[in-house]
Amino acid sequence: HMTLIQILLIILIVLAIFNLIRRFRQRDLTLPLFIFWMFFWLITIFIIIYPESTSLLARILGVGRGVDVVIYFAIIIIFYFIFYFILKIKNIEDKIVKLVREISFLKKDKNA
């Protein structure tokens, strides 16, 4: 039978899934992002309901405990997203600089 923490986590994840579906219907998310996050949340629910599954994965990978595997993967995913968002922000900054320059040149030509 499930513990209180499992029930609370599943409730939070179900709320996240409802929000995910709502954002997808509003076209705030692309289909690949929607599929990625849906898969992520469903896997998370599976791990919460069957925590021993991470122990099996830990044994296969040669890690001590199942929770360690989850933490290692979480850290890798977090660092990947940090890297991805840094590149995304740099790209946006470059586009803003280019746009501001174009606007500046247009205003300069207009005033000349």
Side-chain angles (χ1 to χ4, degrees), residues 52-105:
E52 66 278 356
S53 64
T54 60
S55 297
L56 173 65
L57 185 58
R59 280 193 300 278
I60 292 169
L61 296 175
V63 177
R65 300 177 305 162
V67 71
D68 293 340
V69 171
V70 172
I71 291 170
Y72 296 154
F73 278 116
I75 290 171
I76 291 167
I77 290 168
I78 288 167
F79 277 108
Y80 171 78
F81 278 118
I82 289 171
F83 174 72
Y84 174 80
F85 286 125
I86 287 171
L87 292 179
K88 205 69 153 151
I89 289 168
K90 173 76 172 105
N91 186 11
I92 291 169
E93 286 175 344
D94 291 345
K95 287 179 181 181
I96 290 171
V97 167
K98 184 179 176 187
L99 228 130
V100 168
R101 285 182 183 154
E102 288 178 15
I103 291 170
S104 174
F105 289 134

Side-chain angles (χ1 to χ4, degrees), residues 33-45:
L33 266 178
F34 174 77
I35 292 170
F36 169 81
W37 284 110
M38 184 62 77
F39 181 73
F40 174 82
W41 290 124
L42 293 175
I43 291 295
T44 304
I45 288 175

